[in-house]
Amino acid sequence: MTHDLYDLLGVARDADATTIKKAYRGLARKLHPDVNPDPETQEKFKEVSLAYEVLSDPQKRAAYDRGADPFGGGAGGFGQGQGFSFTDIMDAFFGGGAGGAGGQGRGPRQRVRRGQDALIRLDIDLSEAAFGTTKELKVDTAVLCTTCHGDGAAPGSTPVTCETCRGAGEVAQVQRSFLGEIRTLRACAACRGFGQIVSDPCRECSGEGRVRSRRSLNVKIPGGVDTGTRVQLSEQGEVGPGGGPPGDLYVEIHVDAHPTFTRHGNDLHSTVSLPMTAAALGTTLTLPLLEADLEAPEDSEMRTDYDLVIKPGTQSGSEQVLRGFGVPGLRGGRGDLIVTVIVDTPTRLDARQEELLRELAALRDEETPDGSVEAGQKSVFGRLRDAFNH
């Protein structure tokens, strides 16, 4: 090479190692064959890489500054010394590369890791979902091994440093290319990247540091939950590998159907059926509330029913809204109870009942009713037309 190595990298002769590496990164981004396949550019990239190989090595740089030829062979010759790492090129493109800053590896994998979260379904009644409850759960998760206390080694033994990678968790592979010796780092196969080997694994957990076990725990369900709501129990999930901290346990709520009420948001809906005579004359019904499902103390003043007044002439399909008798909200407040009245028309009449109904029809002048047909709602276009005409 006839070019000055400092000029090739565009740095001063007293530039420090950080400046030299930064300059190489910038040039590598522009000149790498994957970015610019032009032959002249490839040759330029090769020269820049050779310059960086010399100036990034203190011994080769000192020899070059004294006027020696760093490519003349021997310990300082290209391809004969340490060479430069493939991680320097990765550094140039990805800001640290696969090997980390300064060409260093990532180090051994952590044997102790956080456990996974767990999910369990819990079926509860509507009243329990509305007012809250406490349930005992049986969960089957990974727990800390009490024999080895998480380190995976049998009692009396300890993990030993891997002889293959000397505890680094990774080994270097060197390949020759037109750039020289390219060094890549791979996880050590002997220790699986952990840097240590458990030569005598714990027989209880087979070296995992955790075992599966069934345990009981109490979960408090807040009032106002609905199907699909998830209650989070921190650090009650799976214990991690190597006895790592446990994940979280999520309890997904499923509310069973209720024989009397249906739920829509925080509102409850109920239907009552009345005889035709009761709807016409009016009456009072005792309507059970959702609180009736709760086991209240004997001296409790909790209201469990409601006196529903049916006014005379109530029509089938009419609704009564009882404010504040629905489901309590998770953030306060309470929904309503909406009661729909259905009037039953008798289908079987004996002779006397039929006679009385005919007398009633005669008194009301309804022996031959004409009936009436009510107009339905107008379409959107019809309402727009009426609005423009108006």
Side-chain angles (χ1 to χ4, degrees), residues 3 31 62 90 123 248 385:
H3 299 291
L31 303 176
M90 297 296 293
D123 295 327
D248 298 333
R385 180 188 60 198

Side-chain angles (χ1 to χ4, degrees), residues 3 8 31 39-49:
H3 299 291
L8 282 172
L31 303 176
E40 294 183 2
T41 304
Q42 293 184 23
E43 185 64 27
K44 181 71 173 178
F45 176 71
K46 183 176 180 181
E47 293 179 353
V48 167
S49 300

Side-chain angles (χ1 to χ4, degrees), residues 5 11 41 76 100 126 129 142 144 168 258 309 323 326-327 340 342 372-373:
L5 302 186
V11 297
T41 304
L126 179 59
L144 183 70
H258 194 275
V309 177
R323 302 294 181 187
V327 176
T340 302
I342 301 298
S372 61
V373 179

Side-chain angles (χ1 to χ4, degrees), residues 119-133 220-232 250-258 261-269 290 326-331 335:
L119 177 66
I120 187 173
R121 168 173 158 160
L122 176 63
D123 295 327
I124 61 176
D125 298 332
L126 179 59
S127 59
E128 295 173 328
F131 304 111
T133 185
K220 184 177 180 180
I221 306 299
V225 298
D226 201 354
T227 295
T229 303
R230 290 187 175 183
V231 178
Q232 180 181 5
Y250 290 89
V251 180
E252 185 172 271
I253 303 299
H254 180 270
V255 181
D256 295 331
H258 194 275
F261 303 104
T262 57
R263 178 178 178 178
H264 299 281
N266 288 337
D267 292 335
L268 293 176
H269 290 254
L290 188 58
V327 176
L330 281 170
R331 296 177 178 83

Side-chain angles (χ1 to χ4, degrees), residues 7 34 110 117 174 188 213 234 236 262 267 280 372 383:
D7 290 342
D34 291 340
Q110 293 294 323
D117 296 336
V174 180
C188 176
S213 176
S234 299
Q236 293 295 333
T262 57
D267 292 335
S372 61
R383 293 197 296 269

Side-chain angles (χ1 to χ4, degrees), residues 19 28 37 103 137 151 161 164 178 244 250-252 259 294 296 310 348 354 371:
T19 303
L137 295 181
D151 63 12
T161 302
T164 302
F178 74 96
Y250 290 89
V251 180
E252 185 172 271
L294 301 177
I310 304 298
R348 293 182 180 180
E354 183 177 352

Side-chain angles (χ1 to χ4, degrees), residues 18 39 45 54 102 104 135 153 162 271 296 299 361 371 373 386:
T18 301
F45 176 71
V54 174
Q104 299 299 317
K135 290 286 189 179
C162 176
T271 301
D299 58 348
V373 179
D386 292 345

